[in-house]
Amino acid sequence: MSQPTGPRLTASLPFTPVLVQPLPITVTPFPNETLNSYFSRLASANRTTTTFLRSPSRWLRCRLNELELLEILTSQPRTSLVWAIPELRKYDPQIAPRLRVELANTRFACRCCVWRAGGRKEVHVYLRAPYDNVCLHHGIWLKDGVAVIDQQIDLTPVPEVVHAQRVVNRLEKKYGELLVADCYEWCHGFFGDLDRRALVRAEADELLNRLCEANHMDPPRHAVPVHSDRHYRFRRASRYPQIAKLMTLAFSPALRGLTRSSPDQARERIPAEFERLIPLDYQPRSTTGPWLRDALVNLVKRIDTFAKLLRNAEAVDLDPSHAA
């Protein structure tokens, strides 16, 4: 049966109906946009308030759920609203399945994407994954260190960062979002330890200097990045290509197999492959060398173990004997 497209009464009592009608100006939702952000943009376009849109009557609560209300107010297809705004999926899971991971963190949508779509207002979207850092359409750094939309970085001077996002996206398609998200967090923490030992700064510093020069900033002094550092977002962007290389190494089937079949060979091969991808600034001595070897081997083993656990969990979910 086709969905009704005209005005809808939001109360069943015949003497106090609340009539909801389409707004004069509609707004297309952005992918993964938050519900509050969409209501705010819709209200701004029609010169009203979000409170008025969400509560059409001062005297009665609206009987429509948020999806039904937006479907009437915006004249947007129900399917488009459900796919674009994750919070609406609970109202019609037959159109789009509920998300496996609850979305909590948000960021600004790419400013170029907003302007190209004709928007003049900030758009807040849910963070798809912790490694979702770059808009590939416009080469803009979106997330880490970006507190206001004007802090989004144009990555034209450092195409290596855009390429790193493509590498990570390919890993996601092959291994899945959950595994790649954890790998990104582990690799990010690993590079924090490397920074404290100043083992692999040269490559990232070269990108950082290019970014600072393009943005008319003096290069920062060597220090572990903190959120209060005005160079923080530039540091995070310049480190991203190295993190992508380490993630590629950690997912290598050959190296993961070595950790299971030949631990001694793994302790030689994995550090050698790491130095080929990311040259060391100096050869570590004393305790740093053994720490680096063990940390790299443990990272690859951790990925291999977690991948096996996820495969087993998926096998259980697909087994008809475990169906509800």
Side-chain angles (χ1 to χ4, degrees):
M1 181 180 296
S2 61
Q3 294 289 336
T5 57
R8 186 180 301 178
L9 295 178
T10 64
S12 58
L13 298 177
F15 49 87
T16 54
V18 179
L19 193 64
V20 180
Q21 295 180 327
L23 293 169
I25 302 175
T26 190
V27 174
T28 302
F30 271 74
N32 287 332
E33 185 169 5
T34 68
L35 190 59
N36 286 339
S37 173
Y38 186 60
F39 265 115
S40 176
R41 292 197 300 122
L42 192 63
S44 177
N46 289 275
R47 299 189 178 185
T48 184
T49 65
T50 57
T51 303
F52 176 78
L53 293 185
R54 294 184 120 162
S55 304
S57 170
R58 293 179 56 191
W59 314 109
L60 296 174
R61 292 185 61 185
C62 180
R63 297 293 182 88
L64 302 174
N65 63 43
E66 291 166 320
L67 174 57
E68 294 168 335
L69 179 62
L70 283 174
E71 190 180 5
I72 298 172
L73 290 176
T74 66
S75 300
Q76 293 285 330
R78 186 182 184 90
T79 301
S80 299
L81 291 168
V82 171
W83 275 109
I85 303 174
E87 290 157 279
L88 299 180
R89 293 190 177 190
K90 62 184 177 182
Y91 298 118
D92 200 335
Q94 294 182 345
I95 293 179
R98 290 176 177 267
L99 299 172
R100 295 178 61 183
V101 180
E102 191 69 26
L103 295 172
N105 297 322
T106 63
R107 62 164 172 79
F108 296 107
C110 169
R111 62 173 187 263
C112 293
C113 290
V114 174
W115 295 337
R116 188 172 183 178
R120 295 294 182 268
K121 188 175 177 64
E122 295 174 352
V123 178
H124 294 267
V125 297
Y126 282 106
L127 186 65
R128 185 176 59 85
Y131 49 82
D132 182 21
N133 289 313
V134 178
C135 173
L136 295 178
H137 296 294
H138 300 104
I140 299 291
W141 182 260
L142 302 172
K143 185 174 72 76
D144 286 336
V146 176
V148 295
I149 197 168
D150 290 339
Q151 292 181 339
Q152 291 181 342
I153 306 171
D154 181 3
L155 298 174
T156 302
V158 284
E160 297 92 334
V161 181
V162 180
H163 175 71
Q165 185 68 66
R166 292 193 176 97
V167 170
V168 175
N169 287 354
R170 286 197 293 269
L171 290 175
E172 180 194 32
K173 289 181 180 179
K174 187 172 183 180
Y175 297 104
E177 180 181 323
L178 290 177
L179 185 58
V180 175
D182 280 350
C183 182
Y184 174 77
E185 296 291 353
W186 297 335
C187 291
H188 181 268
F190 177 74
F191 271 102
D193 293 333
L194 290 180
D195 261 332
R196 284 185 280 274
R197 293 170 170 83
L199 271 172
V200 290
R201 284 180 175 170
E203 181 180 344
D205 281 352
E206 196 272 329
L207 299 183
L208 180 58
N209 290 337
R210 270 193 266 160
L211 278 176
C212 289
E213 181 180 357
N215 288 273
H216 309 291
M217 299 175 67
D218 294 328
R221 293 178 296 176
H222 287 300
V224 177
V226 293
H227 285 278
S228 58
D229 181 4
R230 70 191 186 102
H231 293 90
Y232 181 75
R233 65 190 191 278
F234 298 101
R235 291 179 184 270
R236 295 296 294 264
S238 63
R239 180 64 78 191
Y240 197 41
Q242 291 180 318
I243 293 178
K245 291 177 183 177
L246 180 58
M247 292 174 68
T248 302
L249 180 146
F251 278 108
S252 167
L255 297 182
R256 287 164 54 188
L258 274 182
T259 61
R260 287 180 258 114
S261 62
S262 181
D264 291 337
Q265 289 186 32
R267 283 176 58 83
E268 295 180 3
R269 177 85 179 277
I270 293 175
E273 186 66 15
F274 176 79
E275 291 187 42
R276 185 186 69 82
L277 291 173
I278 308 172
L280 300 179
D281 295 348
Y282 65 90
Q283 285 301 318
R285 299 178 181 177
S286 64
T287 60
T288 304
W291 167 83
L292 179 61
R293 288 193 297 271
D294 291 342
L296 288 169
V297 172
N298 288 337
L299 175 64
V300 177
K301 289 173 65 176
R302 193 174 185 179
I303 293 296
D304 188 58
T305 301
F306 191 36
K308 188 182 299 184
L309 289 174
L310 289 178
R311 285 197 302 270
N312 291 339
E314 290 174 358
V316 169
D317 290 340
L318 294 174
D319 188 343
S321 63
H322 290 82

